[in-house]
């Protein structure tokens, strides 16, 4: 059985109080992963089902961008793992190797995936590259609106505006449009489908 491993670190982590980004990081990881670890201050690793990996990556990027100046770099690896280990830090296997290699090969990119399926990797990495490029142009308010919308799919824009203490629903709508919410959400679903079709 194949799993997804996300290896990441926080860009510009020393510019901001670690409690601020640490809280956001733990919040997202605890929703998408039953087994994760934060180490060396600003590095982390998490194991999760394949269908949660791309969504988790996007939500992590959005959540951490709600803190001005903070970004996250992610290496996603897909493959078999050693089921005998109790914690993510003790685990081994193909998914961990691929995740580490993807992370080490990021260079100036913020996301890279490595799986047993080269054509899927190529497509996902192109699409996610475009998504991260768009997300890099967000304001903090756009990141907050995007994160709230993708984390609360059952809420309408009026409810989301109230959740975010926005005075007008139209403000939220404008922020989501400028953030490219619909296109990034569509891309997230598409990348997830590409991965799941291989299983």
């Amino acid at each position: 059985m194949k799993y997804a491993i996300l290896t990441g670190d926080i860009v510009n982590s020393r510019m901001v109080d670690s409690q601020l980004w640490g809280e956001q990081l733990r919040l997202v990881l605890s929703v998408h992963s039953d087994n994760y670890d934060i180490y060396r201050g600003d590095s982390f690793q998490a194991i999760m089902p394949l269908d949660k990996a791309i969504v988790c990556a996007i939500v992590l990027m959005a959540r951490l961008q709600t803190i001005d100046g903070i970004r996250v770099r992610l290496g996603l690896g897909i493959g078999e793992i050693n089921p005998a280990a109790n914690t993510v830090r003790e685990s081994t296997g193909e998914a961990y190797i691929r995740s580490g290699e993807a992370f080490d090969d990021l260079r100036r990119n913020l996301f890279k995936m490595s799986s047993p399926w080269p054509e899927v990797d190529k497509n996902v990495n192109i699409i996610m590259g475009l998504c991260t490029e768009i997300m890099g142009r967000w304001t903090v308010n756009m990141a907050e609106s995007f994160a709230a919308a993708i984390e609360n799919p059952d809420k309408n824009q009026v409810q989301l505006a109230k959740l975010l203490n926005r005075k007008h629903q139209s403000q939220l709508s404008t922020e989501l449009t400028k953030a490219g919410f619909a296109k990034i959400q569509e891309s997230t679903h598409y990348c997830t489908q590409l991965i799941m079709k291989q299983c």
Side-chain angles (χ1 to χ4, degrees):
M1 185 174 178
K2 289 181 171 56
Y3 290 88
I5 305 295
L6 269 179
T7 300
D9 71 3
I10 310 300
V11 180
N12 300 325
S13 62
R14 294 182 183 180
M15 289 175 52
V16 180
D17 184 345
S18 62
Q19 284 190 329
L20 290 174
W21 57 258
E23 183 180 327
Q24 298 289 351
L25 179 61
R26 283 186 288 274
L27 178 70
V28 175
L29 291 178
S30 64
V31 168
H32 296 276
S33 173
D34 294 328
N35 192 353
Y36 68 89
D37 191 22
I38 301 170
Y39 55 95
R40 283 193 328 211
D42 64 358
S43 298
F44 59 92
Q45 200 164 53
I47 180 172
M48 63 197 65
L50 298 185
D51 62 340
K52 288 190 172 185
I54 298 294
V55 174
C56 181
I58 289 290
V59 174
L60 271 172
M61 292 176 189
R63 268 279 149 225
L64 288 162
Q65 274 190 244
T66 63
I67 304 164
D68 194 24
I70 295 293
R71 300 292 301 271
V72 62
R73 301 187 315 142
L74 297 168
L76 171 60
I78 293 175
E80 305 285 339
I81 65 166
N82 176 2
N86 294 320
T87 67
V88 69
R89 290 284 297 278
E90 297 170 345
S91 299
T92 59
E94 175 193 14
Y96 286 92
I97 293 168
R98 289 185 179 280
S99 179
E101 289 175 347
F103 182 79
D104 290 341
D105 199 36
L106 281 171
R107 299 187 181 96
R108 293 186 177 182
N109 298 316
L110 294 175
F111 176 92
K112 185 169 184 180
M113 182 176 106
S114 174
S115 77
W117 318 298
E119 196 61 28
V120 174
D121 290 346
K122 179 182 176 183
N123 290 328
V124 169
N125 288 328
I126 289 171
I127 293 167
M128 288 294 285
L130 288 170
C131 289
T132 58
E133 186 73 23
I134 293 167
M135 296 169 85
R137 299 170 188 167
W138 287 355
T139 63
V140 168
N141 278 1
M142 287 160 67
E144 288 174 349
S145 295
F146 184 98
I150 203 163
E151 289 172 335
N152 298 281
D154 55 324
K155 287 185 170 23
N156 62 36
Q157 288 193 1
V158 173
Q159 294 169 317
L160 288 171
K162 185 177 285 188
L163 181 71
L164 292 167
N165 294 317
R166 300 285 193 266
K167 287 185 179 179
H168 306 287
Q169 175 268 327
S170 59
Q171 181 186 355
L172 176 82
S173 178
T174 299
E175 288 167 358
L176 289 175
T177 300
K178 287 183 177 179
F181 177 78
K183 291 298 182 186
I184 293 176
Q185 187 178 45
E186 186 180 348
S187 298
T188 302
H189 292 322
Y190 180 69
C191 289
T192 300
Q193 287 174 354
L194 286 179
I195 291 168
M196 297 310 294
K197 280 179 183 176
Q198 306 302 313
C199 302

